[in-house]
Amino acid sequence: MTAGDTTTPKLRVQAASKVYQTASGNLLAIDGCSFDVAANEIVSIVGPSGCGKTTLLWSMSGLHSLSSGVIALDGKPITGPHPDIGIVFQEANLLPWRNLDANINFPFEIKGTQPDKQWVKHLLHRVGLDGFGGKFPRELSGGMQQRAAIVRALSLKPSVLLMDEPFGALDSFTRDEMNRLVEEIWLDAPTTIVFITHSIEEAIFLSDRVVVLSPRPGRVAKIYDVPFPRPRSFEIMATKEVFDLTNAIKLDIVGDRIAKSRPAEAVQ
Ligand code: ADP
Ligand code: MG
C-alpha cells in the first residue's frame, strides 16, 4: 500500500463481531458487520436502541477488542486507542474542576505534548467559544459543553472523528445548531467522521451514507447513499427526496417491530 493508493479505505470494518461475557451468559452484541468508510466521508450508523452501535464505535476506537473480525485504519488493524482517532461521546465528559482551557489541555498533559495553540484558538472561535477558556463546565450550557468536547477531540488533529450520539442529550434547537456546526467544520476542513445517532433526520442531514443496523445482534441491514448537496439548507431538507429517504430508513428500523406487533393486536 502506498500513500497514493486510493483503494484502501480510511476505515474498513470487516466481519466485526463482539460477544460480551455477562453473569447470565454470552451476549452477542454485533455480528459480522462489514462496511468501509472513505477518507473525508461522513458515515452515520443508525439502528434501534441496544443494537450494538456503541459497541461498534468502541471497537473502531480501539477502546475494546472484537471477538472476531477486523477493523483497520489506513489498512492497519486497530488494536488499541490510536492517536489518529478522536471520540466525542453523548456526555461532554469535561472534568468539573478544570476550566475549559485546562480541559482541552488535559489529553496533551497525559501525552506529555503541547497543543497547537493557534489551531485550538481557531477551533474555539469556530465553535463560538472565544473568551470562554476560563469558564468551568458548570458555567456552560449543555450545547457549549458539547462544543468544548468537539474542540478537545479536534485539537488532537485526528484523521478520524468518531461521535457517539453527541447531541442526543440536547434540545432539538440546539441539536440543529450543532448539526450545522459539524457541517461547517467539515466544509472548512473535511475529515472522516463516523456518527452514531438514533435520529434519522440528523443522519441524513450530516452524512454521505447511512448504515442501518438490525436489532441486536447488530448486523448491517442496509447502507443508503445520501446524495444531497452541501451545505444542506432547510430547502434541501424539506424536499420530497429527503422525506422519502427518511421514511425508507424509518421503515427499515421500525417496520420489523410493527410487523411483529400485528398478530398480537389482531388477537385483542
Ligand atoms: P446501542 O449503542 O445500539 O444502544 P450498545 O452497543 O450499547 O447498543 O449495546 C448492545 C448490547 O450489548 C446491549 O444489549 C447492551 O446491554 C450490551 N452491552 C453493552 N456493553 C456491555 C458490556 N460492557 N457488558 C455486557 N453487555 C454489554
Ligand atoms: Mg449507544
Side-chain angles (χ1 to χ4, degrees):
M1 188 194 345
T2 64
D5 186 346
T6 51
T7 59
T8 305
K10 187 76 197 164
L11 272 172
R12 169 158 284 175
V13 179
Q14 220 168 3
S17 299
K18 174 78 180 173
V19 178
Y20 290 113
Q21 264 96 41
T22 71
S24 51
N26 286 351
L27 185 146
L28 180 60
I30 52 170
D31 186 26
C33 291
S34 298
F35 59 92
D36 289 347
V37 182
N40 299 340
E41 192 180 23
I42 305 181
V43 170
S44 285
I45 300 174
V46 300
S49 184
C51 75
K53 301 182 292 298
T54 296
T55 299
L56 185 53
L57 200 86
W58 274 52
S59 309
M60 295 172 121
S61 71
L63 283 172
H64 66 194
S65 57
L66 289 169
S67 304
S68 62
V70 178
I71 300 182
L73 174 71
D74 295 321
K76 295 191 195 79
I78 295 167
T79 53
H82 195 291
D84 282 350
I85 299 176
I87 313 190
V88 177
F89 301 96
Q90 180 167 356
E91 302 295 330
N93 293 320
L94 301 175
L95 299 170
W97 59 89
R98 284 180 166 238
N99 68 21
L100 206 152
D101 281 342
N103 262 291
I104 291 166
N105 223 27
F106 185 58
F108 293 94
E109 287 172 28
I110 290 176
K111 286 203 314 177
T113 58
Q114 288 293 319
D116 175 342
K117 291 207 168 69
Q118 278 310 108
W119 175 236
V120 172
K121 198 169 168 228
H122 163 77
L123 289 171
L124 285 170
H125 175 70
R126 197 77 197 76
V127 306
L129 283 175
D130 290 302
F132 284 86
K135 298 274 185 200
F136 286 85
R138 65 177 175 276
E139 300 177 280
L140 304 171
S141 68
M144 286 167 121
Q145 291 190 29
Q146 212 45 308
R147 288 179 212 199
I150 292 172
V151 171
R152 184 180 51 191
L154 291 177
S155 66
L156 292 150
K157 299 185 179 170
S159 68
V160 173
L161 185 62
L162 305 177
M163 305 180 90
D164 190 358
E165 303 202 28
F167 312 134
L170 304 177
D171 65 79
S172 70
F173 292 115
T174 311
R175 173 187 276 230
D176 286 351
E177 218 176 86
M178 298 299 286
N179 286 336
R180 292 200 178 275
L181 182 64
V182 171
E183 184 185 54
E184 280 170 22
I185 290 172
W186 186 89
L187 287 169
D188 254 14
T191 184
T192 311
I193 299 178
V194 179
F195 193 97
I196 288 186
T197 176
H198 55 243
S199 160
I200 295 163
E201 287 77 10
E202 183 172 68
I204 292 177
F205 177 80
L206 281 174
S207 317
D208 295 299
R209 287 184 303 143
V210 176
V211 175
V212 181
L213 293 188
S214 68
R216 185 172 67 79
R219 301 188 175 109
V220 176
K222 260 190 198 163
I223 300 180
Y224 287 90
D225 284 324
V226 185
F228 313 118
R230 290 193 173 99
R232 293 190 176 153
S233 60
F234 285 117
E235 289 74 21
I236 290 174
M237 292 308 288
T239 57
K240 182 176 181 308
E241 286 74 15
V242 170
F243 181 76
D244 287 347
L245 180 58
T246 308
N247 278 334
I249 298 175
K250 225 168 250 180
L251 266 181
D252 280 341
I253 296 175
V254 300
D256 194 38
R257 242 185 286 164
I258 293 169
K260 278 187 191 139
S261 70
R262 266 191 199 126
E265 280 164 12
V267 169
Q268 285 171 1

